[in-house]
Amino acid sequence: MAVLPDPAATRAVLIGTSRYAHLEPIPAVANNLSALAAALCAPGSWGLAPEHCTVIEDPATAVEVLEAVRTAAEEATDTLLVYFAGHGLVEPRRGELFLGLTGSIQHRSYTGLPYGTLRDVVLDGRAGRQVMLLDCCFSGRVLGFMSAASAEAVIDQVEIEGTYLLASVPDTSFALAPPGEHHTAFTGELLGLLREGVPGGPELLDLDTVYAQVYAALRAKGRPLPQKRDRNTAGGLALARNAAWAPPGFGPPPPPYDHEPAPPPTFMGTPTPPYEPGAAPADHEPAASAPGPVPLPGVPPMPTWSPMALPSPAPLPAPGGASPGRRRAVTYGLAGALFVALVAAGIPLAMSWMKGSSEDDSGRNTSKSSSTPKPGPTSGYNVAAKGGVVNPSTQPGGTLKFISQNDADSWDPQRSYFGFVWNFSRFYARQLITYAPKPGKDGTELVPDLAETKAEVTDGGRTYTYTLRKGITWEDGSPITSKDIKYGIERIWDQDKISGGPIYVQQALDPGHAYKGPYKDTSEDKLGLTAIETPGPRTIVFKLPKANGDFERMLATPSASPVKKSKDTKDKYQERPFSSGPYKFGPYRPGTSLELVRNTKWNRSSDPIRTALPNQITVNIRGDEQTNAKALFSGAYDLDLQSYGLTGPSLAQATRSSDLSARLDSPSNGILLFAALPRSVKPLNNVHCRKAVLYAADRENVRTAAGGPRTGDIAPHMLLPAIGGSDSSYDPYGTVKSKGKPDTDKAKAELKACGESKGFRTTIAVRNNRSTDATVAMSLQASLRKVGITTEIDPVDGNHFNEAIGAPATVKKKGYGIVLYRWGADFPTGQNFLQPLADSRFIESTGNLNVAELADPTVDDLFDTAIAEQDPAKAGSDYAQINRRISDSAAYLPLLFQRSVIWRGSRLTNVYTSDSWQGGYDYVSLGVSK
C-alpha cells in the first residue's frame, strides 16, 4: 500500500550543475532544481519544510555536495531523497560513473564527484528508505543529448534493502535536454506528472506508478526510456498525491492508467504499435466517410533497433572556417536549430475562394470578386493540408492573435531571414511579384502584386520589365514609385547596416558587388545601381549580366520590397517599417509584443493578393513553447507565429484528444533529412561503398526513431515533391517499393564490389543539440552494423556544426564518412535547393555546402542550362536529370521528406497550408470569426 513519508523525518537533497567551465551548459537543469524543490515542498506532495529540502546548484567541489548529503542522511529517519541532474563522466578504465561539477573536464573523471562515494554517504545514513533519482549522462556526452556507458552497472550497486534508484536512460541511450524545452526530458515528464496527476490512477502516486507513467510518456515521444531498481517495499513509497484523483462516485469513470510499462523493443522483430481508441495508424489516411475527427496515434511505434554501446566520442572539432552563409540551411537546422529558424520561401496570398483569379494571355490578372465563398470544412484533422480551405469566409473585423516564442530576427523586409517573418511581413510589405494565395503546391505559382503583370522578359532572359499598378500607395497616401522599389532593393548592397537577409537579388544583378549601396554612393548623379533602371514612375527595368530563370522568385522575397527613402532610418528601420500593405505598425515592444493596425491609405482595388479581413493583428512574444501551446489550446490565441510545429508534452496532449487533434494539420515542411557521404573519407570515395550504405539503411526505422510517420515521408531521392522535376515514381534504390526497409543482400554485394566484403568502419557526425539527430544516427548505426559497417557517432558542438562540416579538411581529418543534417529551400526550385548541395563549384575550403564533395561536370553543365531556362517545365526536366545523377553517384543518403504538426485556432477563417511557406498557413488570407 502506498504511503507518504513523514515530512518531519524526511530530507531531500537536490543537486544540479547547469554551468560548466569546460563543458556545454545545460540551462534546463537550473529549472529542474527550482521546480522539483517546489513540488516536494508542496502540501500535495511530501510537504517538506523548505529547510529540509537542500538545493545545491552548480557545485564547485565534491566536498560541498557530500557534506550536505551527509547532514541530510544523519537527520532523516524516514526517507532520504537525493537527485542529480547534469553531465555525467565515465572513468575510462573502470567505467565508473562520476557526476559533473562546474569545473569538470571531459575524460578526466577525477574532476567530478564519484557516484560510488555519494552512494556510500547516502547508505550510511539512518533513513529507512533511500531514493536516488539520476538525470544525467553516463557516457560523458555533452549538452543536448547524453549517453549512458553503464547504467545497469550503476543500478546493480543499489542492492540494499529499502532503496529505490530511478535512472533517466538505459545504459546505451541518450538522455535529453531538448532545445526549446524548459526542463530536461526525464525531469520534465516527472514534474508534469506531479502537476497534472494520472486520471484513473490511485490517490497516492507511488514510485512504481511514477516510473510507469514517466516511462509511457517518454516512450510515446520516442525518447530514451528510464530504468529502475528497487529493494523491498521502496516502490510503494508515494511521491505525491494524485492531482487528477477523484473519489469513487464523482463523475464518469476516468480512463484507465497504465501501471506497468510496456516491455522495451526486442532486438529482433517489430512490436505492434499501440494506438489511441478510434485512431487510425498514422501511415493510413482516415476514411473519408469516417464520422468526426480522427486523432493522430498517441504512441509511435518503437524502433526495432536496440541501442548499442557507443565508442567514446572523438574530441570536438576546433572552431574553424567561415559561416556557410545566411541561407536558411537546416544543417543545424534551418532554424535552426533547423534549428534556428526554419527556412521558408516567401509566399503570398489572395483568396481564390473569394476572388475568381485568372490571367489573360499577357499575364494580366483579371480577378473578380464572387459573392460568397465556396463551401469548405470547418474542422478535422489535416483538412487544411489536403488542398482545401477551412472555414471559408468574407467576414471582416476582429483581432487576429498570434503568439510566438521568439521575436523576429528583423521586421525590416531587407534584413529578415526567418521564414515566419517572411510570411507575416506581407501584412505591411509588398513586392512586384509574389506567390499565389492558393493551398498546397499551387501556392508556389508566381502572380503579380505591385506590378500589373508578370515581367516582360527579353534579351535572352537577361532583361525583366515591369509596369506598376495604378493606385498603389504608402501609408501616408503618397504613391509607390519605381524609384521606391529600386531604393529598397539597393539597401541590400550595404551589408554594414542592412545585414541578415538573403542576397540573391544582389548576386543576380551585381555578382562582382561593384555597387556599394545607397549609403556609400558618391556618384554625382546618384543614379544608384545601374542594373536597375526607372525610366518612369510606373516602369522599372532589371538588367542581369547572365540569364536566370529564377529571378522573379528572388523578387518575390521580402528583400525586394520598396522602401521610401525619406522614411529610411537605416539599421533602426526594423523598429518601424513604413507600410506598403494593408496594415501598418502600431505599438512595438521588442521581445514582448507587436500590434499592426489598419493602413487607411491602402487601396483594396490595387491589391489582388491581400484580403485584410481582421481589424488588427497582435503578436504576443513569450519564451516558453509549452506555455504557449496551452494558451493556444485554451483559445486565448489563434496561431503560433513561428509555426515550427508542436513538440513534447503539447504534441502528446493534442494528438491524444479528439477535440484538439481536429485542429491539427501535418503538412510537408519543405525540409529534407538526409546524410552526406563525403568522397574525401575512405572508403566512401568508392561509389560501391556508398551504395552499400544506401541499401543497408533502414529508412522506416529511421522514421520511427525520428518520431514516427507524422515526422515525414520516406524519401527515395533528393528532390522535394514541391520542386519542379521531382518525380514520385522515381525510386532508384527500391526504397518506396520496400516501404523503407533495407536490402541487405544488395548492400553486401556492393561491399564486395568495393573491396570491403567484411565491411568497414566510419564515423557519423551529428549536431549535439538536436536529440532527434542522435536517435536517427543510432538507428542508422544499428542497420549498418547488420552488413558489417561499424560506425562511431560523434556529436559535434551545435554552435560550430556548420563550421566543422563546412570545412572539407576537417571532415577528412575527423573521418566523417556520414554527416547527418537537414536542408530546405528559400524558394522552391532546383537551383535554390539542389545546386548548393551538388554543384562542384560550390565546394569551398570553408562554408562548404556541398558536403558530399560531389564533382560531376555533367551536373554542373545541367545546372547552367536549367538556371538560364525561362520555361519552368524545361528547367524541371534538367533538375530531374541532375537528381538522377546524384542518385547514381550515391553521394547522399536521402531519409525523410519532413512534416510538422501545426495548430489552427477555432476562430480562424480561410485557413490552408501552402508549400511556399514551408507548409505553414498562408497568413494574409486569414480572418477571424466573431
Side-chain angles (χ1 to χ4, degrees):
M1 179 178 178
V3 59
L4 286 168
D6 178 3
T10 295
R11 300 292 186 270
V13 182
L14 312 182
I15 311 154
T17 311
S18 60
R19 296 183 298 109
Y20 295 86
H22 307 288
L23 302 174
E24 292 289 343
I26 313 178
V29 168
N31 301 330
N32 289 358
L33 295 177
S34 58
L36 188 55
L40 292 175
C41 293
S45 181
W46 282 3
L48 293 180
E51 60 269 21
H52 292 166
C53 183
T54 302
V55 176
I56 306 175
E57 185 174 351
D58 297 329
T61 67
V63 172
E64 177 184 353
V65 175
L66 295 173
E67 282 299 314
V69 174
R70 181 173 295 279
T71 298
E74 292 174 347
E75 294 177 352
T77 56
D78 188 318
T79 301
L80 173 63
L81 181 146
V82 176
Y83 166 89
F84 174 81
H87 284 308
L89 306 172
V90 174
E91 198 285 324
R93 292 188 178 181
R94 296 182 297 277
E96 296 177 359
L97 174 69
F98 286 69
L99 307 181
L101 306 174
T102 55
S104 292
I105 301 174
Q106 182 71 281
H107 304 308
R108 299 181 188 177
S109 54
Y110 55 83
T111 60
L113 166 63
Y115 169 77
T117 304
L118 175 64
R119 176 203 61 207
D120 292 344
V121 172
V122 170
L123 297 180
D124 285 344
R126 300 190 297 158
R129 289 170 294 206
Q130 298 92 12
V131 180
M132 298 195 71
L133 307 179
L134 300 177
D135 190 358
C136 67
C137 53
F138 296 120
S139 67
R141 298 289 181 177
V142 293
L143 174 65
F145 43 85
M146 307 164 277
S147 75
S150 187
E152 192 65 27
V154 172
I155 295 172
D156 283 341
Q157 299 175 31
V158 189
E159 293 292 340
I160 309 297
E161 294 296 318
T163 60
Y164 197 102
L165 174 62
L166 186 52
S168 62
V169 293
D171 59 346
T172 56
S173 188
F174 289 100
L176 306 179
E181 295 191 16
H182 201 57
H183 301 287
T184 58
F186 168 77
T187 302
E189 296 298 343
L190 174 63
L191 292 167
L193 177 65
L194 298 181
R195 180 176 60 251
E196 299 173 8
V198 181
E203 181 180 2
L204 298 178
L205 298 179
D206 59 42
L207 287 167
D208 281 342
T209 300
V210 167
Y211 165 66
Q213 292 298 307
V214 171
Y215 185 107
L218 291 169
R219 184 175 188 265
K221 298 173 185 176
R223 292 180 170 180
L225 304 176
Q227 305 291 299
K228 63 127 176 159
R229 179 63 56 85
D230 65 297
R231 300 290 292 173
N232 202 8
T233 59
L237 177 67
L239 198 57
R241 297 185 183 278
N242 185 359
W245 181 75
F250 283 80
Y257 76 100
D258 296 324
H259 183 76
E260 290 298 329
T266 60
F267 193 62
M268 306 291 290
T270 307
T272 302
Y275 297 98
E276 290 297 307
D283 56 350
H284 296 282
E285 293 291 342
S289 60
V294 179
L296 289 169
V299 182
M302 290 300 296
T304 59
W305 47 274
S306 175
M308 304 300 290
L310 302 177
S312 298
L316 296 182
S323 167
R326 285 164 291 192
R327 175 191 170 81
R328 275 172 299 182
V330 204
T331 48
Y332 32 112
L334 258 184
L338 305 145
F339 68 36
V340 249
L342 283 177
V343 260
I347 255 239
L349 110 21
M351 294 185 24
S352 55
W353 61 93
M354 293 178 61
K355 303 176 181 180
S357 178
S358 61
E359 291 184 356
D360 59 22
D361 293 338
S362 68
R364 183 180 301 273
N365 188 289
T366 57
S367 300
K368 295 181 179 180
S369 298
S370 60
S371 57
T372 58
K374 297 178 181 179
T378 59
S379 186
Y381 167 63
N382 216 29
V383 293
K386 293 182 177 179
V389 178
V390 178
N391 287 342
S393 174
T394 59
Q395 180 64 46
T399 299
L400 175 59
K401 300 178 181 180
F402 288 92
I403 193 169
S404 179
Q405 187 176 353
N406 298 299
D407 203 341
D409 54 341
S410 176
W411 297 114
D412 183 334
Q414 273 79 32
R415 299 186 67 182
S416 169
Y417 220 141
F418 283 2
F420 70 88
V421 182
W422 285 20
N423 195 350
F424 186 86
S425 69
R426 291 173 308 132
F427 286 128
Y428 59 87
R430 298 177 65 179
Q431 297 85 40
L432 285 166
I433 208 83
T434 189
Y435 289 93
K438 299 177 182 179
K441 191 173 181 177
D442 291 343
T444 63
E445 174 193 355
L446 289 176
V447 293
D449 185 359
L450 289 172
E452 287 187 337
T453 67
K454 293 173 67 176
E456 178 187 357
V457 184
T458 57
D459 193 23
R462 289 178 295 185
T463 300
Y464 288 70
T465 303
Y466 294 93
T467 299
L468 274 60
R469 293 182 187 276
K470 296 179 180 179
I472 52 176
T473 60
W474 290 107
E475 65 175 82
D476 61 359
S478 61
I480 298 172
T481 69
S482 58
K483 290 184 182 296
D484 294 330
I485 296 172
K486 177 180 180 179
Y487 180 78
I489 294 173
E490 286 176 336
R491 296 173 81 236
I492 303 170
W493 270 253
D494 198 323
Q495 289 293 300
D496 291 340
K497 293 190 177 294
I498 311 300
S499 61
I503 56 174
Y504 296 119
V505 176
Q506 180 201 80
Q507 292 169 334
L509 291 173
D510 181 21
H513 203 171
Y515 179 59
K516 300 305 178 183
Y519 309 142
K520 299 176 182 176
D521 189 353
T522 57
S523 62
E524 293 184 4
D525 52 18
K526 299 288 185 183
L527 291 178
L529 179 66
T530 57
I532 304 178
E533 298 177 355
T534 54
R538 293 182 53 224
T539 304
I540 187 166
V541 182
F542 299 89
K543 294 191 173 182
L544 283 65
K546 190 175 181 179
N548 194 314
D550 286 343
F551 183 64
E552 284 202 285
R553 295 197 179 273
M554 300 175 190
L555 292 179
T557 64
S559 61
S561 302
V563 172
K564 190 171 185 176
K565 187 174 182 179
S566 63
K567 299 296 183 178
D568 183 13
T569 52
K570 300 180 181 178
D571 55 346
K572 294 184 178 181
Y573 191 69
Q574 61 188 352
E575 299 173 7
R576 212 298 188 178
F578 201 61
S579 176
S580 56
Y583 298 92
K584 62 182 180 180
F585 266 54
Y588 172 46
R589 298 170 59 200
T592 303
S593 63
L594 168 65
E595 181 179 339
L596 298 184
V597 298
R598 284 198 182 277
N599 172 13
T600 58
K601 302 299 183 180
W602 172 71
N603 186 346
R604 184 178 296 275
S605 64
S606 76
D607 193 339
I609 306 300
R610 297 156 185 82
T611 54
L613 293 177
N615 285 334
Q616 63 179 356
I617 301 164
T618 61
V619 178
N620 193 349
I621 302 165
R622 294 182 177 179
D624 183 77
E625 176 190 348
Q626 302 306 321
T627 300
N628 290 0
K630 289 183 178 180
L632 287 168
F633 296 165
S634 72
Y637 297 91
D638 301 307
L639 207 60
D640 175 10
L641 177 64
Q642 295 177 257
S643 290
Y644 294 163
L646 298 176
T647 64
S650 58
L651 177 59
Q653 178 185 357
T655 55
R656 289 175 176 174
S657 164
S658 59
D659 290 338
L660 296 181
S661 64
R663 303 201 176 281
L664 296 178
D665 293 296
S666 183
S668 297
N669 60 20
I671 295 171
L672 174 68
L673 171 65
F674 67 104
L677 311 180
R679 293 187 175 196
S680 61
V681 180
K682 295 181 179 180
L684 280 310
N685 60 330
N686 187 302
V687 65
H688 294 290
C689 283
R690 297 196 298 271
K691 286 185 176 182
V693 172
L694 268 65
Y695 280 121
D698 188 335
R699 288 176 237 206
E700 175 56 35
N701 215 22
V702 162
R703 180 164 71 165
T704 299
R710 68 179 173 227
T711 62
D713 303 319
I714 294 172
H717 53 75
M718 290 291 290
L719 200 54
L720 292 167
I723 295 177
S726 181
D727 181 357
S728 60
S729 66
Y730 179 53
D731 189 15
Y733 291 88
T735 305
V736 175
K737 184 179 180 181
S738 66
K739 297 182 179 180
K741 304 309 291 183
D743 190 329
T744 55
D745 290 339
K746 287 185 178 180
K748 291 177 180 178
E750 294 291 348
L751 284 173
K752 185 176 181 180
C754 78
E756 300 286 351
S757 58
K758 294 184 179 180
F760 58 86
R761 300 184 64 89
T762 193
T763 299
I764 303 176
V766 297
R767 296 179 63 90
N768 77 344
N769 57 352
R770 289 185 64 86
S771 59
T772 300
D773 287 7
T775 55
V776 166
M778 293 173 69
S779 173
L780 275 177
Q781 182 184 54
S783 60
L784 296 179
R785 184 186 296 111
K786 293 180 181 179
V787 298
I789 302 174
T790 304
T791 59
E792 174 184 343
I793 299 175
D794 188 2
V796 181
D797 182 357
N799 294 325
H800 301 290
F801 184 76
N802 289 344
E803 296 173 8
I805 70 166
T810 299
V811 169
K812 182 177 181 180
K813 179 180 178 181
K814 297 292 185 180
Y816 294 153
I818 302 174
V819 179
L820 187 70
Y821 66 120
R822 292 168 172 77
W823 187 251
D826 290 344
F827 45 88
T829 70
Q831 176 185 187
N832 191 249
F833 183 80
L834 275 186
Q835 190 179 27
L837 302 178
D839 193 321
S840 67
R841 294 163 292 187
F842 277 66
I843 299 176
E844 303 286 350
S845 59
T846 59
N848 178 42
L849 297 174
N850 184 349
V851 178
E853 300 167 50
L854 176 60
D856 182 343
T858 300
V859 167
D860 298 350
D861 291 343
L862 283 169
F863 274 122
D864 290 342
T865 302
I867 291 169
E869 180 58 60
Q870 295 297 307
D871 184 338
K874 292 181 180 179
S877 177
D878 292 329
Y879 291 128
Q881 292 184 59
I882 293 171
N883 190 34
R884 282 171 166 75
R885 292 193 69 88
I886 293 173
S887 294
D888 292 343
S889 74
Y892 291 101
L893 165 61
L895 295 170
L896 293 177
F897 296 137
Q898 295 204 284
R899 293 180 177 273
S900 299
V901 180
I902 56 178
W903 168 266
R904 53 184 143 79
S906 60
R907 298 193 317 138
L908 291 175
T909 62
N910 308 322
V911 191
Y912 59 88
T913 65
S914 172
D915 286 357
S916 293
W917 300 111
Q918 294 301 119
Y921 301 118
D922 195 353
Y923 290 162
V924 292
S925 291
L926 296 175
V928 290
S929 59
K930 295 183 178 179

